[in-house]
Amino acid sequence: MINEINFDNIDITSGIIPETEPERQYYYMALCRKMVKDESERLKRPLTFFIATFGCQMNARDSEKLQGILEEIGYVEGKDESADFVIYNTCTVRENANTRVYGRLGHLNSLKKKNPSMKIALCGCMMQEKEVVDKIKSSYRFVDIIFGTHNIYKLAELIFARYNSESMIVNVLKDTELVVEDLPSIRKYPFKSGVNIMFGCNNFCSYCIVPYVRGRERSREPKDIIREIEKLVADGVVEVMLLGQNVNSYGKNLENPISFAELLKEVEKIEGLKRIRFMTPHPKDLSDDVIEVMKHSKKICAHVHLPLQSGSSRLLKIMNRHYTKERYLELAEKIKREIPDVSLTTDIIVGFPGETEEDFEDTLDVVRKAGFDSAYTFIYSKRTGTPAATMDGQVPEDVVKERFNRLLKVVQEGSEKYCKRHEGRVMEVLCEDVNEQDDTMLTGRLSNNILVHFKGDRSLIGKIVNVKLNESKGFYYIGEIAE
Ligand code: 5AD
Ligand code: SF4
C-alpha cells in the first residue's frame, strides 16, 4: 500500500526521531529493517514470522496490517509457530478465546527454549484487560512484547524497543482519538479486502466486553476510506468488506458528519470495484436509507448480517439492545421484501443471565419467523467488568446446553429451507479458492454470501463467473459453470 516509500532512503543516522505519525513509524521501520538484515546475515538465513489470529474480521484485518509491517522490515512468512517472530492477535469476546491463548502459550515457551533468538508478541483485545497483562507479566515471562488494540501501527517501534531492552515491553493504551493512515498492509486474498471504516463501539450491550477493549467509536474520514479502496482496486481487489462494530453509526462523530448510506453511495462510484459488503449493522439503527441504497445498488451484496442476540423483548432490554422482538421481525421482513434474493444471517446468545424457558421460546420463534440463512450461535460467556457479569440468575450449564442444541436444530432447519430457494438458478459467483477436498473444483461465494463448489480451473480465482446452482446441500451449493 505504501510502495512509494523507500525505507532505505530514510536517514536513520541523525538520531532525530519524527514525532508525527506515520513518519515516526516509517523511521522505526527503517531502523528495524537494518536490524533484521544484520541478524539474518549473521544467521545466514531469512528471519521468519508467524501470526495466529483469534476472533473477528477486525482482528483479521489488524493482522494483515501487522503482517504488512513485518514484511516491510524484512521478515518472511513462516509456516507455523517455530518462526523467529510469533504474534498472537487475541480475542476476548468469550472466555474460551482466552483459554485457548493461554494453552498455546505453554507450547510457545518450549519452542523458544529451542530457538533463544525467537521473539513473542501478544496483542489484540485480551491485552486491553489489566488482569490478563498482570498474569502474563507474572506467569509468562518469556513473552517479549505486549501491546493493545489502539497501537498496532506501532509494531516496528515496539520491536526496536525490545531489541534494545533486557525486559518485556508493555504498551497498552486505554483509548485513543488517533486513526493512523498510510501504513503497510498485506492481503490474505489478492482480490478481496477488509476496510476499516470505524473503530470502537459505544453501545455497551450489557454482556459485551468490546466497548471496554476497543474503546469509543471513531470513524475514518470518507476521503481516506475512498482513497484506500481506490488503491486496493488498482491493485486487483474486486470486493471490499467495510468493517465496523456498528456501521450504522458511521460518520456521526466526524467534523463534517456523513451517514453510512452516503458512504455506501460514494464507495459504489469507485470504478472497477465489483462487490461491497459490510459488517456489522445494529438492528436498533439500520436505517431505511441504507435499505434503499442496497435496493438500488449494483455492487452492494445481497447479504445482511443482523445480530439478534435474543428474541425476548424482556431480555433485549436487559441486554441494552434498544429494540424489541416485534421491531426486529419487522426489520427482517422489510429487508427481505425490499432487497431481492437477500440472505439474512445473525448472532444469537443462549443462556444470558435470567433467561427463562419463555425467553428462549421467543428466540426460537424469531428464528422460525425471520428466515435466517445461517446463524452463529453462542453460549453466554461471563465477561468480568460487564454489567451482565454481576447479574443474578446465571443459567445452569445443563439447561444452557439443552437450549443450545434445540436452537441449533431450528437454525439448521431454517438454513436448509432458505438455502434451497435458489436451487436451479444461474447466479454470479466470485471464485475464491481451490476446493479443499478436490483440487479440480473451486469454491466461490454468491453475492448473498452462500458458498458454491464447482468444477473449474484455478486461473479463475478472483474472477466473477456465472454458475448454475445444481444442488443445495443445506448451507452450500454444488454447481457448474454456466455459459
Ligand atoms: N457471551 C457470548 N457471546 C457473546 N457475544 C458477544 N459477547 C458475548 C458474550 N459475553 C457474541 C454476540 C456478538 C458476537 C460477535 O459475539 O453474539 O454479536
Ligand atoms: Fe458488543 Fe453490542 Fe458493541 Fe456489538 S454493538 S460490539 S455486541 S457492545
Side-chain angles (χ1 to χ4, degrees), residues 211-427:
Y212 305 88
V213 295
R214 288 262 169 191
R216 295 293 65 72
E217 247 171 52
R218 279 151 289 137
S219 296
R220 287 176 70 197
E221 287 292 340
K223 66 167 179 12
D224 291 331
I225 297 170
I226 301 293
R227 195 170 50 123
E228 178 177 347
I229 302 176
E230 282 171 350
K231 279 192 187 169
L232 287 168
V233 171
D235 200 31
V237 164
V238 292
E239 176 179 305
V240 290
M241 162 89 85
L242 309 178
L243 297 170
Q245 304 292 353
N246 173 9
V247 290
N248 307 104
S249 55
Y250 169 77
K252 288 185 181 153
N253 56 2
L254 287 172
E255 215 175 289
N256 297 310
I258 155 172
S259 71
F260 180 57
E262 284 162 334
L263 177 74
L264 282 173
K265 282 196 220 160
E266 289 306 309
V267 177
E268 173 106 18
K269 287 182 200 154
I270 298 175
E271 228 167 281
L273 182 66
K274 303 228 163 75
R275 283 184 167 183
I276 304 166
R277 299 185 184 279
F278 58 86
M279 186 90 114
T280 311
H282 192 305
K284 82 177 159 69
D285 38 27
L286 180 68
S287 57
D288 285 354
D289 56 353
V290 170
I291 298 177
E292 199 57 26
V293 173
M294 287 184 79
K295 183 175 167 176
H296 298 291
S297 165
K298 296 213 163 32
K299 298 184 180 174
I300 304 173
C301 289
H303 174 212
V304 181
H305 182 73
L306 196 64
L308 167 68
Q309 313 302 4
S310 167
S312 152
S313 299
R314 186 186 80 84
L315 278 194
L316 285 168
K317 195 164 173 68
I318 305 173
M319 286 176 163
N320 197 29
R321 293 288 290 174
H322 298 279
Y323 55 87
T324 59
K325 173 184 179 184
E326 290 71 30
R327 157 92 181 113
Y328 186 95
L329 280 171
E330 270 168 36
L331 185 59
E333 211 244 323
K334 179 184 247 160
I335 292 170
K336 294 202 147 191
R337 190 177 60 231
E338 297 291 330
I339 307 166
D341 295 331
V342 73
S343 87
L344 192 65
T345 58
T346 199
D347 292 342
I348 300 170
I349 299 176
V350 181
F352 182 81
E355 183 187 74
T356 62
E357 178 59 25
E358 206 184 337
D359 294 320
F360 179 67
E361 289 287 341
D362 273 329
T363 299
L364 292 182
D365 193 39
V366 175
V367 174
R368 289 198 188 95
K369 287 182 177 148
F372 297 118
D373 285 76
S374 66
Y376 294 95
T377 48
F378 304 108
I379 288 181
Y380 167 73
S381 171
K382 183 170 162 176
R383 307 314 289 131
T384 309
T386 62
T390 50
M391 285 180 189
D392 291 336
Q394 305 281 333
V395 185
E397 212 180 302
D398 53 336
V399 177
V400 177
K401 286 222 165 101
E402 189 266 340
R403 285 182 189 159
F404 186 80
N405 291 335
R406 270 157 71 202
L407 173 65
L408 270 190
K409 211 164 151 270
V410 178
V411 165
Q412 273 160 10
E413 284 163 11
S415 301
E416 274 171 36
K417 180 169 145 203
Y418 284 97
C419 186
K420 227 181 165 51
R421 72 189 185 279
H422 305 301
E423 211 173 53
R425 289 179 59 184
V426 173
M427 291 176 98

Side-chain angles (χ1 to χ4, degrees), residues 463-478:
K463 305 232 158 55
I464 293 179
V465 295
N466 282 324
V467 173
K468 175 140 191 258
L469 309 176
N470 288 336
E471 192 188 354
S472 159
K473 292 279 191 184
F475 55 96
Y476 65 90
Y477 286 102
I478 301 293

